[in-house]
Amino acid sequence: MNEADEALLALLGALRDDSYRFVTTTPETHRRVLERRPGAIAGDSRDVFGWSLPFRESLLPSRLLDPLLRSGMVERIGDHLKSLVRISSIGGSLFLHSAYPTDAEDSVFLGPDTYRFVSLLEVEIPRLAEVCHVVDIGTGAGVGGIVAGRIAGAGEVTLTDVNPAALRLARINAAHAGVRVETRLGSGLDGVEGAVDLVIANPPFVIDEAGRAYRDGGDMHGAALSLDWTLAAARRIEPDGAVILYTGTAIAGGEDGLKAALQRELPALDCSLAYREIDPDIFGELVSEPAYCDVDRVAAVGAVIRRGP
């Protein structure tokens, strides 16, 4: 890591020592909370690093302000400063990701889906055979791969993403969590070498007119990327290996197109499917958008794909 990365790592350590905790909400909830505080200035570290509010330089103690300034991940807004990173707590670790609002194409997103993804991993990984190599595709802030590597006790953890900014924060997050990782810049499993016995993924799953990589899931009301990644992973895993997918899927006329596609395609790959709804209705605002005019709801789902011997 370079000097700026080391500064962010030091910031995470200082916040850990302060027992900092923040649970990141959906962007819509974040927006509504801030609407209740028009023109607000941060009053504590949660306002600075969680709610992404501007702050007076005198607010933060030097153990927090100095590494933030050294990292360069701060901007000046008039007489105030604003952190360009948010920091969220999941389990016993803290994770860097992009400040609100996440409008930039290379934003590194973390939110409620990340927490549900982690819960799925905590349930499913202990049920698997021995895991030597975990690959987290589309890793974002690296949360899934870091958690999976820790649970599985895997000797090798690879994080992939098309976003260099995401891989940078993922490496810092992994160092903070004490999990050794390798990172690969690319889509899906491109560039990943060697045998792989567990692939995990939390892909983008909505239609995004701006085409932001962390958000746009393509066709099938946003489920196309989830399908493509899952099938590619199913082809790659070793016998007795597994794929754990967390994603969202549009339910139209009572039908789940992603589930139907997986049920159709996986048998030919000698793979079984266990599939369930985790939350029947997420991101309800999507059904108001023209691209979702025929959709009843968007559900959070979990899938575990196992490859036969």
Side-chain angles (χ1 to χ4, degrees):
M1 291 189 289
N2 59 31
E3 184 177 349
D5 296 344
E6 293 284 359
L8 286 174
L9 182 60
L11 177 61
L12 289 175
L15 286 169
R16 176 194 58 210
D17 292 344
D18 285 353
S19 299
Y20 170 92
R21 294 289 182 272
F22 186 82
V23 174
T24 297
T25 63
T26 65
E28 181 64 14
T29 295
H30 197 126
R31 180 185 68 81
R32 290 171 184 261
V33 169
L34 294 189
E35 280 184 347
R36 302 197 308 242
R37 306 171 63 183
I41 301 301
D44 58 23
S45 61
R46 293 179 74 255
D47 283 347
V48 173
F49 298 112
W51 293 113
S52 296
L53 287 174
F55 64 97
R56 297 181 180 88
E57 194 164 339
S58 60
L59 174 69
L60 296 180
S62 59
R63 66 179 180 278
L64 301 181
L65 181 62
D66 289 353
L68 179 62
L69 293 176
R70 292 200 311 272
S71 75
M73 297 299 288
V74 63
E75 63 178 350
R76 185 167 293 279
I77 303 175
D79 295 332
H80 299 94
L81 300 175
K82 183 178 186 291
S83 173
L84 297 178
V85 290
R86 267 183 292 180
I87 298 173
S88 296
S89 51
I90 302 178
S93 294
L94 300 178
F95 293 90
L96 295 156
H97 55 113
S98 295
Y100 176 89
T102 50
D103 293 331
E105 185 175 347
D106 65 347
S107 291
V108 184
F109 191 74
L110 183 157
D113 285 308
T114 311
Y115 293 90
R116 286 187 283 256
F117 184 35
V118 166
S119 294
L120 179 67
L121 297 175
E122 289 174 339
V123 170
E124 297 296 342
I125 291 178
R127 299 173 177 173
L128 302 177
E130 181 181 4
V131 175
C132 298
H133 186 187
V134 177
V135 180
D136 180 8
I137 55 179
T139 191
V143 179
I146 292 166
V147 170
R150 179 183 289 158
I151 295 171
E156 188 173 2
V157 178
T158 303
L159 312 179
T160 80
D161 207 291
V162 296
N163 181 1
L167 293 179
R168 179 201 177 198
L169 294 188
R171 286 191 292 268
I172 300 169
N173 289 335
H176 171 69
V179 176
R180 294 184 62 181
V181 302
E182 293 183 328
T183 58
R184 292 286 182 271
L185 181 65
S187 179
L189 290 162
D190 293 350
V192 177
E193 300 177 352
V196 177
D197 42 22
L198 174 61
V199 177
I200 64 170
N202 174 14
F205 58 76
V206 300
I207 299 171
D208 182 44
E209 292 183 358
R212 288 167 290 186
Y214 77 88
R215 183 172 171 85
D216 188 18
D219 296 333
M220 296 174 61
H221 293 109
L225 189 61
S226 297
L227 177 63
D228 291 346
W229 281 6
T230 302
L231 294 180
R235 295 184 183 99
R236 177 65 185 275
I237 54 174
E238 294 291 301
D240 290 327
V243 181
I244 300 177
L245 170 71
Y246 169 88
T247 192
T249 182
I251 309 299
E255 298 298 323
D256 180 343
L258 175 62
K259 180 180 180 180
L262 290 172
Q263 289 174 328
R264 182 175 62 250
E265 300 291 339
L266 287 172
L269 302 178
D270 195 25
C271 288
S272 63
L273 172 67
Y275 189 99
R276 69 178 185 273
E277 282 195 7
I278 294 171
D279 191 325
D281 183 18
I282 61 173
F283 295 107
E285 65 270 19
L286 288 175
V287 299
S288 296
E289 298 183 6
Y292 289 83
C293 63
D294 58 339
V295 170
D296 308 328
R297 56 190 173 91
V298 176
V301 298
V304 180
I305 295 91
R306 295 174 184 258
R307 188 171 186 182

